[in-house]
């Protein structure tokens, strides 16, 4: 949100940054960037439609669950939304890589089993943010391997499904499942 020194809020779309300072374009007045809870009156709301059209429904779902426990107050962070999109892109790149193999890879299977157990426990306790973190760790671990086992990737896709169902379905089909 952006606040005028005399009070009131400026629409973020009407603010530009110049030399490290923020200015309200229509009035030319300097405004102060502040971090506050989303509110219509503060003109700092983010509509889901904007995020969905720009980055996809799966990215929005994943980010909302990655923000932290439901009972805690959270601040919206557009950079973190982009981070969730990058994670989903990396997951897709794993599944569509030329390194995907029908051969079993014990290291990949270890990563997948560890992921499945961890995500199951986190979902049971509604710790969605830590479940997503475990999926990010899985992607990092898999990228270090020479080959990506289809079995391990299929397990990971099943873990991803509750968080990003559209991408998970595409990955599932890409791996040869119906």
């Amino acid at each position: 949100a952006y606040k005028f020194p005399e009070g009131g809020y400026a629409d973020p779309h009407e603010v530009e940054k110049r030399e490290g300072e923020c200015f309200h374009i229509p009035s030319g007045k300097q405004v102060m960037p502040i971090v506050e809870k989303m509110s219509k009156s503060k003109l700092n709301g983010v509509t889901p439609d904007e995020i969905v059209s720009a980055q996809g429904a799966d990215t929005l779902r994943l980010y909302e669950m990655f923000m932290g426990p439901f009972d805690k107050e959270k601040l919206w962070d557009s950079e973190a939304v982009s981070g969730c999109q990058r994670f989903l892109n990396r997951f897709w790149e794993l599944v569509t890589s030329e390194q995907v193999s029908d051969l079993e890879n014990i290291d990949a299977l270890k990563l997948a089993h560890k992921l499945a157990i961890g995500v199951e426990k986190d979902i049971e306790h509604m710790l969605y943010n830590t479940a997503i973190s475990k999926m990010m760790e899985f992607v990092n671990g898999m990228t270090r391997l020479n080959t990506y086992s289809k079995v391990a990737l299929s397990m990971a896709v099943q873990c991803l499904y509750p968080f990003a169902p559209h991408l998970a379905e595409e990955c599932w089909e890409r791996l040869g499942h119906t």
Side-chain angles (χ1 to χ4, degrees):
Y2 297 92
K3 191 171 188 174
F4 291 104
E6 66 274 7
Y9 294 88
D11 184 331
H13 296 101
E14 296 179 342
V15 173
E16 72 176 356
K17 293 182 181 176
R18 289 180 278 182
E19 300 174 18
E21 302 291 334
C22 299
F23 294 91
H24 183 238
I25 298 167
S27 68
K29 294 181 180 179
Q30 187 172 355
V31 292
M32 298 175 295
I34 55 172
V35 177
E36 294 193 45
K37 266 193 331 186
M38 274 194 222
S39 166
K40 287 181 189 177
S41 66
K42 296 174 184 167
L43 304 173
N44 66 348
V46 177
T47 65
D49 295 340
E50 292 173 13
I51 302 293
V52 170
S53 67
Q55 296 172 303
D58 282 343
T59 299
L60 176 62
R61 284 173 54 94
L62 193 78
Y63 174 67
E64 287 180 330
M65 288 187 262
F66 189 61
M67 287 175 80
F70 289 116
D71 58 343
K72 304 287 186 227
E73 188 173 301
K74 302 161 212 65
L75 295 173
W76 187 266
D77 180 359
S78 296
E79 291 298 315
V81 176
S82 298
C84 287
Q85 186 176 31
R86 282 191 304 274
F87 161 70
L88 292 174
N89 289 341
R90 288 186 67 211
F91 197 100
W92 174 253
E93 289 167 5
L94 269 182
V95 171
T96 59
S97 169
E98 298 204 2
Q99 292 172 261
V100 174
S101 172
D102 288 323
L103 300 174
E104 288 195 17
N105 177 325
I106 192 72
D107 293 325
L109 289 174
K110 284 179 184 178
L111 288 170
H113 281 280
K114 181 180 177 185
L115 173 67
I117 290 167
V119 169
E120 179 183 13
K121 287 180 182 176
D122 287 345
I123 288 174
E124 286 173 359
H125 293 98
M126 294 179 60
L127 299 172
Y128 305 129
N129 55 328
T130 59
I132 294 165
S133 291
K134 286 176 176 64
M135 286 185 266
M136 292 175 175
E137 290 170 5
F138 170 84
V139 169
N140 290 338
M142 283 292 283
T143 57
R144 293 185 195 108
L145 303 178
N146 294 328
T147 60
Y148 310 147
S149 160
K150 276 188 181 181
V151 173
L153 288 173
S154 295
M155 291 172 67
V157 168
Q158 289 175 314
C159 292
L160 180 66
Y161 182 77
F163 304 93
H166 302 101
L167 178 68
E169 182 179 358
E170 292 293 323
C171 291
W172 189 251
E173 289 177 9
R174 184 62 79 114
L175 293 170
H177 304 291
T178 55

